[in-house]
C-alpha cells in the first residue's frame, strides 16, 4: 500500500523516540498524516497490535480523526463493513491488528486496558492526569499533536524533563497536498503577529487577542437547566447558518449547538427550528435580514431581530465577556469559533477594540444576539416594548422569564 508522500508524512515517519510530539500550524497535515501512518502500521504488523486514537470528546473524534480514518480506508479500497465495530468504534485489519477510538472524558477507557500505540489528537485540550493514565498503559509509541496557541502541561511537565521525547514542528509548507487557495488564505494573515506565530509558523504563542476566555466545557445540559433563548445567524452559500440554545443554570449560562450548515433556505431553517425540542422558544436572529425573519415567523415561530446600532457589537461582546459560560462538548463549532475568535490587530501588532473580520463568528454573533437580550432587559426595555407594540411577539410573559 502506498502511503502519502508529503513532507509532513516523511518527517513523522522518521521520528524514533517513544513520545513523538507534533506541535504545528494550521493545515500542516499533522492528524491526517498520523492516521495514514497508523493504518500502514496496522496493515504490516507481524504480530497483532492495538492502537488507540484519543481526543477530548467523542464528537470531536467523529468529526476529526475518525472521519479522516474512514475516508482513508475507503479511499484506498481496503474498508470492510464487517470489520468496523460501530458500537465500540474499533476497526480490525486482516493482520488482526486493531485501531480503536475513544475520548479522554471516558474515565473507564483512560484507566482501562493496555495498548501498543497511542495517538492523542489535540493533546492541549485534555488533562495531564488523562495523559499520564494513557501513557503508562501504552507499551510502544505515543504521538501527540496540537496547535501551540498557549502553554500547557507538555511544556511544563514533559519538555526538557524526559529523555524519551522527540519534538517536530510542522507547518502548512510541509503539506504539499494543500489546496493553493488555502495557502493564499493562510499567508494573507502574516500581518497578524500572534496568529501567524501560532497557526502560520507553528510556534508556541499566546493568542493575546482572544476575545472570550475561560469558557468551561461540560458533558451535557443539566436536566434542571432552563432554556431562555435560541439564536439564529443566517448563512447560505459561503457561510453556514448557525443555531444554538442558551440555558440558565446555577448562576451561569450554558450554550448548546443545534445547527452549523450551509445551503439552508428559510423554509428549511423554519422546519429545523420547529422540529427541535421546545419550538416555542424565542429565537433572536440577525436583524440585517428582516425579510428572512418575517418568512420564518410565518411558520409559527417566535423570532425577534437582534439589536444593532453604534458600538452594539463592542457593547454586546462586553456583555458576553461578563458572563460565566459553559459549552456542551458536542458543540464543536462553538468551541472552535470561541478558541479562534480574536480582536483585530493592526499592522504594528496593536490589538484593536473590534472583532477580526477574518475569524469565523457565526455562532459568536448569535451568542451575542441572544445573551444581550437577557442582559439588558431593564435598561433597554423600551426597545422590546416597541417590538411588542408592533405585535411581532406573543405577550411578554412568553418571551421573558419573570425571574430575570
Amino acid at each position: 500500500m502506498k502511503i502519502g508522500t508529503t513532507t509532513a508524512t516523511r518527517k513523522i515517519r522518521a521520528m524514533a523516540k517513544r513520545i513523538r510530539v507534533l506541535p504545528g500550524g494550521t493545515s500542516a497535515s499533522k492528524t491526517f498524516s498520523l492516521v495514514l501512518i497508523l493504518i500502514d502500521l496496522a496493515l504490516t504488523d507481524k504480530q497483532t497490535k492495538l492502537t488507540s486514537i484519543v481526543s477530548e470528546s467523542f464528537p470531536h473524534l467523529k468529526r476529526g480523526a475518525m472521519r479522516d480514518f474512514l475516508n482513508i480506508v475507503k479511499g484506498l479500497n481496503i474498508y470492510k463493513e464487517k470489520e468496523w465495530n460501530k458500537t465500540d468504534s474499533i476497526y480490525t485489519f486482516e493482520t488482526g491488528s486493531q485501531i480503536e477510538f475513544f475520548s479522554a472524558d471516558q474515565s473507564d477507557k483512560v484507566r482501562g486496558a493496555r495498548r501498543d500505540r497511542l495517538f492523542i489528537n489535540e493533546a492541549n485540550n485534555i488533562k495531564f492526569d488523562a495523559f499520564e493514565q494513557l501513557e503508562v498503559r501504552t507499551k510502544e509509541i505515543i504521538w501527540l499533536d496540537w496547535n501551540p496557541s498557549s502553554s500547557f502541561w507538555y511544556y511544563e511537565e514533559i519538555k526538557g524533563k524526559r529523555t524519551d521525547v522527540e519534538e517536530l514542528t510542522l507547518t502548512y509548507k510541509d503539506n504539499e497536498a494543500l489546496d493553493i487557495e488555502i495557502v493564499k488564505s493562510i499567508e494573507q494573515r502574516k500581518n497578524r503577529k500572534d496568529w501567524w506565530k501560532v497557526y502560520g509558523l507553528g510556534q508556541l504563542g499566546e493568542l493575546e487577542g482572544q476575545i472570550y476566555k475561560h469558557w468551561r466545557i461540560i458533558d451535557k445540559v443539566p436536566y434542571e437547566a432552563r432554556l431562555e433563548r435560541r439564536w439564529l445567524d443566517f448563512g447560505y452559500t459561503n457561510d453556514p447558518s448557525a443555531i444554538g440554545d442558551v440555558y440558565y443554570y446555577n448562576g451561569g449560562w450554558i450554550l448548546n449547538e443545534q445547527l452549523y450548515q450551509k445551503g439552508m433556505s428559510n423554509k428549511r431553517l423554519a422546519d429545523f427550528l420547529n422540529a427541535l425540542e421546545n419550538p416555542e422558544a424565542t429565537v433572536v436572529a440577525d436583524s440585517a435580514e428582516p425579510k428572512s425573519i418575517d418568512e420564518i415567523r410565518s411558520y409559527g415561530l417566535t423570532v425577534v431581530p437582534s439589536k444593532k446600532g453604534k458600538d452594539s457589537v463592542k457593547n454586546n461582546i462586553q456583555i458576553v465577556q461578563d458572563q460565566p459560560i459553559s459549552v456542551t462538548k458536542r458543540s464543536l463549532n462553538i468551541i472552535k469559533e470561541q478558541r479562534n475568535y480574536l480582536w483585530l490587530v493592526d499592522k504594528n501588532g496593536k490589538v484593536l477594540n473590534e472583532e477580526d473580520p477574518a475569524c469565523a463568528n457565526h455562532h459568536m454573533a448569535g451568542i451575542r444576539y441572544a445573551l444581550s437580550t437577557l442582559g439588558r432587559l431593564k435598561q433597554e426595555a423600551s426597545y422590546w416594548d416597541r417590538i411588542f407594540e408592533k405585535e411581532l411577539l406573543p405577550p411578554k410573559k412568553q418571551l421573558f422569564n419573570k425571574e430575570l
Side-chain angles (χ1 to χ4, degrees):
M1 170 182 138
K2 184 179 179 181
I3 292 296
T5 56
T6 63
T7 299
T9 306
R10 291 194 297 271
K11 286 182 176 180
I12 295 170
R13 290 180 69 91
M15 299 177 81
K17 292 192 176 181
R18 169 176 163 78
I19 300 178
R20 307 172 187 185
V21 301
L22 299 168
T26 186
S27 302
S29 187
K30 301 182 295 298
T31 303
F32 193 87
S33 293
L34 269 172
V35 172
L36 272 171
I37 290 168
L38 293 174
I39 291 171
D40 187 47
L41 289 172
L43 285 168
T44 55
D45 282 330
K46 302 301 182 184
Q47 297 179 336
T48 299
K49 305 280 186 179
L50 174 63
T51 299
S52 300
I53 298 181
V54 182
S55 191
E56 64 177 309
S57 69
F58 201 75
H60 185 275
L61 271 174
K62 287 181 69 175
R63 297 189 192 182
M66 188 183 297
R67 181 166 61 183
D68 284 345
F69 171 82
L70 292 172
N71 286 339
I72 291 169
V73 291
K74 290 176 181 179
L76 293 172
N77 294 317
I78 59 173
Y79 176 77
K80 294 182 179 179
E81 185 72 27
K82 66 178 181 178
E83 303 299 347
W84 175 231
N85 183 329
K86 294 182 180 180
T87 301
D88 296 326
S89 301
I90 299 175
Y91 190 87
T92 303
F93 293 85
E94 291 183 355
T95 57
S97 288
Q98 296 180 319
I99 293 180
E100 64 173 357
F101 299 82
F102 63 88
S103 58
D105 56 11
Q106 295 176 273
S107 58
D108 58 326
K109 293 281 190 179
V110 170
R111 292 172 170 79
R114 295 182 179 276
R115 67 197 56 82
D116 298 285
R117 307 174 187 122
L118 171 68
F119 168 32
I120 304 180
N121 179 223
E122 296 194 16
N124 53 325
N125 294 326
I126 75 165
K127 295 179 180 179
F128 181 54
D129 177 65
F131 163 75
E132 287 200 306
Q133 295 295 334
L134 291 165
E135 190 260 329
V136 297
R137 290 170 172 81
T138 303
K139 300 175 186 176
E140 297 178 5
I141 309 169
I142 298 165
W143 290 269
L144 314 175
D145 77 350
W146 66 88
N147 295 123
S149 57
S150 62
S151 182
F152 68 106
W153 50 261
Y154 165 73
Y155 297 98
E156 298 148 11
E157 304 291 340
I158 304 295
K159 186 172 183 176
K161 297 182 179 181
R162 295 181 58 152
T163 59
D164 59 349
V165 178
E166 185 174 357
E167 181 178 317
L168 170 66
T169 298
L170 297 171
T171 74
Y172 69 99
K173 290 188 176 181
D174 294 304
N175 182 11
E176 292 87 351
L178 197 60
D179 187 274
I180 187 62
E181 293 304 316
I182 297 179
V183 173
K184 291 178 181 178
S185 176
I186 293 170
E187 293 184 340
Q188 285 179 1
R189 292 168 168 79
K190 284 185 176 181
N191 64 317
R192 293 167 52 191
K193 182 180 177 182
D194 291 335
W195 190 97
W196 181 249
K197 183 177 181 180
V198 174
Y199 294 107
L201 302 178
Q203 299 174 2
L204 178 62
E206 292 287 344
L207 295 183
E208 297 176 358
Q210 186 175 357
I211 294 176
Y212 299 139
K213 300 179 181 180
H214 311 303
W215 287 11
R216 294 176 59 241
I217 297 176
I218 62 175
D219 287 341
K220 59 184 178 180
V221 178
Y223 177 77
E224 302 84 0
R226 186 176 67 218
L227 178 63
E228 297 289 356
R229 290 289 186 277
R230 189 159 274 155
W231 71 79
L232 168 58
D233 188 59
F234 294 105
Y236 193 72
T237 303
N238 297 319
D239 296 318
S241 295
I243 296 174
D245 294 336
V246 178
Y247 289 84
Y248 180 79
Y249 178 71
N250 198 26
W253 307 99
I254 296 173
L255 309 177
N256 186 51
E257 180 178 311
Q258 294 288 7
L259 178 76
Y260 199 79
Q261 185 173 329
K262 295 180 181 179
M264 294 290 286
S265 66
N266 290 333
K267 174 63 165 60
R268 290 182 66 193
L269 288 172
D271 289 344
F272 182 87
L273 287 164
N274 271 317
L276 290 175
E277 186 177 357
N278 301 310
E280 73 283 356
T282 298
V283 181
V284 187
D286 185 356
S287 61
E289 298 206 24
K291 184 177 179 181
S292 294
I293 290 175
D294 285 344
E295 182 180 346
I296 293 174
R297 272 203 203 106
S298 71
Y299 295 102
L301 290 154
T302 301
V303 187
V304 300
S306 61
K307 177 71 185 295
K308 292 188 177 180
K310 183 180 179 181
D311 294 328
S312 62
V313 173
K314 185 192 308 181
N315 293 336
N316 290 342
I317 284 175
Q318 181 65 57
I319 289 172
V320 178
Q321 287 177 323
D322 290 341
Q323 310 304 314
I325 290 178
S326 300
V327 186
T328 58
K329 66 183 181 182
R330 63 179 294 275
S331 305
L332 297 184
N333 295 296
I334 295 177
I335 294 168
K336 183 176 181 179
E337 284 195 8
Q338 179 257 331
R339 287 173 175 167
N340 295 282
Y341 190 43
L342 308 175
W343 293 115
L344 185 65
V345 178
D346 67 15
K347 63 181 180 180
N348 297 316
K350 181 181 178 181
V351 177
L352 305 178
N353 198 21
E354 58 182 291
E355 63 177 355
D356 189 332
C359 296
N361 65 350
H362 315 295
H363 276 311
M364 298 300 100
I367 291 164
R368 289 200 313 268
Y369 305 155
L371 279 175
S372 61
T373 69
L374 293 166
R376 61 166 181 248
L377 295 181
K378 293 182 179 179
Q379 58 266 46
E380 295 192 11
S382 60
Y383 167 68
W384 294 100
D385 285 341
R386 291 195 297 274
I387 292 178
F388 288 115
E389 288 168 4
K390 293 180 181 179
E391 298 182 350
L392 299 181
L393 292 172
K396 278 189 181 182
K397 63 182 181 179
Q398 295 187 28
L399 175 62
F400 302 132
N401 187 294
K402 62 182 179 181
E403 296 180 12
L404 293 176

